[in-house]
Amino acid sequence: MTTNAELREMSDEQLQATANEAAQTLFRLRFQSQSERLNTPSDIRKNRRLIARIKTIQSERVHAAATK
């Protein structure tokens, strides 16, 4: 699991790549949850929150750049 500090240290490209990977994982988990039982249903929530954290950091960076 990636912490907030680790996410903030990433570059914009790394953040975008991590967000894309998390979105793909979330898609697979949702598909799997509809077709069969998940081993760890909490993974869906973890991925959703990871995506939200990444989007928050990205928007903070955009707002910080706009105020400079």
Side-chain angles (χ1 to χ4, degrees):
M1 194 60 174
T2 312
T3 64
N4 285 341
E6 292 171 348
L7 289 173
R8 290 186 190 282
E9 291 174 0
M10 291 183 179
S11 67
D12 292 336
E13 294 81 21
Q14 289 174 324
L15 271 178
Q16 189 60 43
T18 305
N20 290 341
E21 181 182 326
Q24 289 174 355
T25 303
L26 181 61
F27 176 78
R28 284 194 305 272
L29 286 170
R30 283 182 176 163
F31 193 84
Q32 186 179 7
S33 73
Q34 294 300 315
S35 61
E36 60 188 70
R37 282 193 78 121
L38 290 175
N39 293 335
T40 52
S42 63
D43 283 346
I44 292 176
R45 179 182 293 168
K46 289 176 185 176
N47 274 294
R48 278 195 351 243
R49 290 183 178 179
L50 175 61
I51 293 169
R53 267 194 241 109
I54 291 170
K55 287 184 178 182
T56 300
I57 292 169
Q58 287 174 333
S59 68
E60 286 175 351
R61 289 181 182 181
V62 167
H63 290 300
T67 58
K68 286 185 179 181

